[in-house]
């Protein structure tokens, strides 16, 4: 899209304005930019002339943003941040591409991170940047090329590729298991239950699936699987945890199955990306790789299906 030059201020004007807006001071902005106060003032005046409106209210020796100036400052700051990030990414990998991937914390650390070295080894021209996102977001407002999504196959404005299903198991430490000596699903009512904010009805579904009348359930509320797993290891209670994410803890004996009664989650894992990035080369390569990786891991996580359009 062509941009009219008269609506595109120079970088020097934008940097002067952003610094002054952030510090609410011409003097501090001048010190940061290694310019004179007069130079910064002239650049801000030039920007105001281009915009046709004042950005600051000037009162004696102080300045403060107008309401319109506050909005413009936020937009300019975000634009400068994006330019900075793009430049940094290019310098880090001038011969390849960069994939900005939003991940779910525990999935990212437990499943994806151990496998990424293989992807990077086979694709040395690609740099992968990881950020944490717990819920779907608007791709047009975020600097992300793709995201790992857990839930239903629904993300407004995005395309999805199925990755894997998930099986959860009731897990606790060995001391709690010996204390309560669980024999049947209803026995778990006697122990403290750990609940995840993102899955508030998980225990109710588990009890109903295994024929136990769901009583009013109480217990500690946690926001991430890693925290829930650690709480269970520490003996704070029982947690319903994805089996493929706690394989190491189960192997070491830090966690044990309270009962060998798994439940397949109704939600599933997907890779999501904005439609306008579908052909972006680093994303194409990563999408092919992660779908193949989940197929290779199907014994522990469920059977993937073909990629969705």
């Amino acid at each position: 899209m062509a941009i009219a030059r008269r609506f595109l201020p120079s970088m020097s004007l934008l940097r002067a304005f952003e610094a002054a807006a952030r510090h609410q001071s011409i003097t501090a902005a001048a010190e940061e930019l290694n310019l004179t106060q007069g130079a910064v003032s002239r650049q801000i005046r030039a920007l105001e002339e281009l915009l046709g409106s004042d950005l600051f209210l000037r009162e004696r020796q102080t300045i403060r943003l107008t309401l319109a100036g506050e909005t413009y400052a936020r937009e300019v700051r975000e634009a400068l941040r994006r330019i900075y990030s793009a430049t940094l990414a290019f310098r880090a990998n001038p011969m390849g591409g960069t994939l900005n991937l939003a991940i779910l914390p525990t999935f990212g650390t437990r499943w994806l991170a151990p496998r990424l070295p293989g992807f990077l080894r086979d694709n040395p021209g690609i740099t992968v940047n990881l950020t944490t996102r717990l819920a779907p977001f608007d791709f047009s407002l975020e600097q992300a090329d793709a995201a790992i999504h857990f839930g239903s196959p629904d993300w407004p404005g995005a395309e999805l590729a199925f990755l894997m299903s998930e099986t959860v198991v009731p897990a606790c430490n060995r001391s709690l298991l010996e204390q309560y000596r669980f024999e049947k699903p209803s026995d778990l009512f006697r122990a403290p239950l750990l609940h995840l904010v993102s899955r508030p009805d998980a225990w109710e579904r588990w009890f109903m699936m295994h024929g136990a009348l769901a009583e009013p359930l109480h217990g500690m509320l946690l926001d991430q699987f890693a925290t829930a797993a650690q709480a269970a290891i520490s003996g704070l209670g029982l947690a319903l945890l994805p089996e493929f994410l706690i394989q190491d803890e189960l192997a070491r004996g830090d966690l044990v199955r309270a009962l060998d009664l798994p439940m397949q989650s109704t939600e599933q894992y997907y890779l999501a990306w904005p439609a306008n990035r579908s052909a972006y080369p680093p994303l194409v390569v990563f999408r092919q790789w992660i779908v193949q990786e989940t197929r290779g891991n199907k014994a522990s996580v469920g059977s993937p299906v073909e990629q969705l359009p």
Side-chain angles (χ1 to χ4, degrees):
M1 179 180 67
I3 301 176
R5 292 184 61 185
R6 63 193 180 95
F7 294 128
L8 189 62
S10 70
M11 186 65 71
S12 60
L13 301 189
L14 295 176
R15 291 183 64 223
F17 165 64
E18 191 281 327
R22 179 162 29 88
H23 292 294
Q24 295 287 286
S25 168
I26 297 293
T27 302
E31 291 176 356
E32 177 183 315
L33 300 173
N34 197 27
L35 297 171
T36 66
Q37 293 181 41
V40 172
S41 294
R42 287 191 295 273
Q43 288 175 331
I44 293 173
R45 285 293 189 189
L47 181 58
E48 289 176 325
E49 289 176 7
L50 186 150
L51 296 172
S53 180
D54 289 342
L55 293 165
F56 292 99
L57 297 173
R58 294 163 174 85
E59 300 172 346
R60 296 183 181 180
Q61 301 301 314
T62 64
I63 61 169
R64 59 188 176 89
L65 287 164
T66 64
L67 290 177
E70 289 180 1
T71 301
Y72 191 59
R74 287 195 297 269
E75 297 287 347
V76 167
R77 187 171 297 118
E78 176 61 19
L80 291 176
R81 186 191 67 79
R82 286 176 175 264
I83 293 171
Y84 167 82
S85 298
T87 303
L88 192 65
F90 183 86
R91 289 193 60 179
N93 190 17
M95 299 305 293
T98 297
L99 180 71
N100 295 313
L101 179 67
I103 59 171
L104 300 169
T106 308
F107 181 92
T109 56
R110 298 294 186 90
W111 190 89
L112 181 60
R115 292 167 170 79
L116 267 183
F119 172 77
L120 297 174
R121 182 186 61 247
D122 295 338
N123 301 276
I126 296 177
T127 297
V128 178
N129 298 323
L130 303 177
T131 57
T132 298
R133 292 290 187 276
L134 296 176
F137 52 86
D138 188 341
F139 276 105
S140 67
L141 301 178
E142 298 281 345
Q143 196 173 13
D145 301 304
I148 302 298
H149 170 55
F150 180 79
S152 61
D154 179 32
W155 187 315
E159 297 179 357
L160 299 170
F162 180 87
L163 297 180
M164 62 179 75
S165 58
E166 170 193 88
T167 298
V168 296
V169 295
C172 61
N173 70 6
R174 195 170 297 279
S175 296
L176 193 143
L177 180 65
E178 294 173 353
Q179 176 184 350
Y180 288 95
R181 299 185 181 279
F182 307 113
E183 294 183 357
K184 57 186 182 298
S186 59
D187 291 342
L188 271 62
F189 287 125
R190 296 186 284 111
L193 301 178
L194 304 175
H195 302 267
L196 280 161
V197 174
S198 59
R199 306 182 186 189
D201 63 341
W203 274 115
E204 283 86 349
R205 288 192 285 115
W206 184 87
F207 281 115
M208 290 179 64
M209 176 180 177
H210 294 292
L213 182 63
E215 301 177 5
L217 301 178
H218 305 284
M220 185 180 294
L221 197 61
L222 303 128
D223 66 344
Q224 293 187 20
F225 277 115
T227 310
Q230 189 57 52
I233 290 171
S234 301
L236 293 177
L238 287 156
L240 269 179
L241 299 171
E243 195 166 22
F244 80 103
L245 294 178
I246 58 168
Q247 289 179 344
D248 290 344
E249 288 82 354
L250 291 172
R252 291 194 302 264
D254 296 337
L255 287 173
V256 294
R257 296 172 182 82
L259 290 172
D260 192 15
L261 294 175
M263 176 182 75
Q264 184 161 313
S265 299
T266 56
E267 300 89 351
Q268 297 172 315
Y269 290 91
Y270 299 87
L271 180 70
W273 65 91
N276 62 0
R277 301 295 278 172
S278 290
Y280 180 52
L283 174 57
V284 172
V285 174
F286 180 81
R287 185 167 62 231
Q288 294 171 345
W289 172 81
I290 194 170
V291 169
Q292 189 62 42
E293 280 293 308
T294 56
R295 287 202 177 101
N297 200 46
K298 64 182 178 181
S300 62
V301 299
S303 300
V305 297
E306 292 299 317
Q307 178 178 315
L308 298 174

